[in-house]
């Protein structure tokens, strides 16, 4: 199966019924995303005269990981979408769990990124310029280092909060999709919701800084929705374990107690590799 041809830009604001289309539509495989570490198939989904492009990741195509139970990455991707929707920020494209040509898997609306958008950069010097946040120093060859920075962007800051809640172990630069319409999406949330602290991300620029008032309000709402019998708890129960839901509650409570963005723990590599 070949890689898909370049998909032309399109409107990426999800229609209100995008999740229904993904769940009920007929999936047709068009190609494979060869860069993905697990099987990721570019598809179209059609239903009742509507059609959209999407990514289908069958559970059967997941490679085993030492620190996550086998066959659970698709469910974690859907769980991350559910938490994103509960925040009201809409940071994860519509994602569902469904049957497909290669068995059960996750199906996510395709997002076309704007190639001109710049969220990450390597710069000379020891301090970032205004409008940028420092991540850390990186070797760039011939014994030279450069400062890796990310944009001081409110959309990224929201995503940093979401990552802290879902315990994202793999927030790379290639998982950030800014669109021509000004939205920002995060993708590839298969390694999330571990009960142990595994936060690995490029978005450390706000580490230790106070959370915004907006973020605190969102976290308060998440705490209510994650209570026993809460609406978010009900949506997560078919997707992740009870212990993982409890750990998510604990992370939300810890963020509210500290009032700050988390800092690297030192117990786990703070930045994913490769970073992009």
């Amino acid at each position: 199966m070949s890689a898909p041809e370049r998909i032309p830009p399109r409107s990426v604001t999800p229609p209100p019924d995008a999740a229904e289309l993904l769940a009920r539509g007929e999936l047709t495989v068009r190609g494979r995303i060869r860069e993905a570490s697990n099987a990721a198939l570019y598809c179209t989904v059609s239903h009742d005269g509507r059609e959209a492009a999407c990514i289908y990741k069958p559970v059967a195509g997941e490679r085993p990981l030492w620190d996550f139970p086998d066959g659970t990455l698709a469910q974690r991707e859907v769980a991350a979408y559910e938490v994103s929707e509960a925040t009201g920020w809409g940071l994860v494209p519509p994602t569902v769990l469904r049957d497909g040509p290669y068995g059960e898997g996750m199906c996510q609306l395709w997002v076309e990124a704007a190639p001109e958008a710049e969220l990450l950069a390597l710069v000379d010097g020891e301090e970032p310029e205004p409008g940028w946040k420092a991540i850390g120093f990186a070797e760039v060859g011939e014994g030279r280092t450069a400062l890796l920075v990310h944009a001081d962007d409110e959309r990224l800051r929201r995503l940093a909060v979401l990552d802290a809640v879902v315990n994202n172990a793999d927030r790379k630069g290639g998982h950030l999709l800014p669109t021509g319409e000004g939205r920002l999406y995060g993708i590839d949330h298969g390694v999330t919701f571990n009960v142990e602290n595994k936060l690995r991300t490029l978005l450390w620029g706000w580490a230790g800084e106070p959370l915004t008032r907006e973020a605190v309000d969102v976290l308060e709402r998440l705490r209510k929705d994650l209570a026993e019998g809460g609406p978010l708890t009900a949506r997560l129960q078919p997707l992740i374990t009870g212990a993982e839901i409890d750990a998510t509650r604990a992370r939300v409570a810890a963020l509210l107690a500290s009032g700050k963005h988390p800092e690297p723990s030192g117990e786990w590599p703070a930045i994913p590799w490769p970073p992009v």
Side-chain angles (χ1 to χ4, degrees), residues 30 50 75 99 107 115 121 125 129 151 173 185 188 193 199 206 212 220 242 271:
R30 303 296 185 184
R50 295 168 297 151
Q75 292 93 323
D99 195 28
C107 189
E129 296 291 329
Y185 291 99
D188 286 345
F193 295 101
L199 184 60
W206 298 280
T212 64
E220 290 283 9
I271 297 176

Side-chain angles (χ1 to χ4, degrees), residues 47-115:
H47 177 70
D48 197 22
R50 295 168 297 151
E51 184 174 284
C54 61
I55 294 296
Y56 161 55
K57 296 182 182 179
V59 172
E62 295 178 4
R63 295 197 300 183
L65 298 172
W66 68 269
D67 51 349
F68 284 84
D70 292 351
T72 67
L73 305 190
Q75 292 93 323
R76 295 172 193 278
E77 295 237 34
V78 180
Y81 166 69
E82 294 291 357
V83 175
S84 169
E85 288 299 283
T87 66
W89 286 332
L91 294 169
V92 179
T95 312
V96 302
L97 192 68
R98 59 161 293 167
D99 195 28
Y102 299 100
E104 185 178 61
M106 84 86 171
C107 189
Q108 185 175 83
L109 191 71
W110 175 269
V111 170
E112 180 76 13

Side-chain angles (χ1 to χ4, degrees), residues 70-177:
D70 292 351
T72 67
L73 305 190
Q75 292 93 323
R76 295 172 193 278
E77 295 237 34
V78 180
Y81 166 69
E82 294 291 357
V83 175
S84 169
E85 288 299 283
T87 66
W89 286 332
L91 294 169
V92 179
T95 312
V96 302
L97 192 68
R98 59 161 293 167
D99 195 28
Y102 299 100
E104 185 178 61
M106 84 86 171
C107 189
Q108 185 175 83
L109 191 71
W110 175 269
V111 170
E112 180 76 13
E116 69 276 6
E118 190 174 18
L119 297 176
L120 299 167
L122 282 167
V123 299
D124 293 324
E126 297 187 356
E127 296 293 334
E129 296 291 329
W132 294 89
K133 289 284 192 178
I135 302 168
F137 290 96
E139 294 185 7
V140 293
E142 299 180 353
R144 192 170 70 88
T145 61
L147 183 64
L148 181 61
V149 298
H150 67 68
D152 188 1
D153 186 308
E154 191 60 36
R155 301 169 302 170
L156 287 179
R157 192 166 190 172
R158 291 171 176 171
L159 195 58
V161 174
L162 176 67
D163 284 345
V165 171
V166 304
N167 198 16
N168 192 349
D170 196 32
R171 174 61 72 205
K172 297 176 179 177
H175 301 167
L176 304 173
L177 301 182

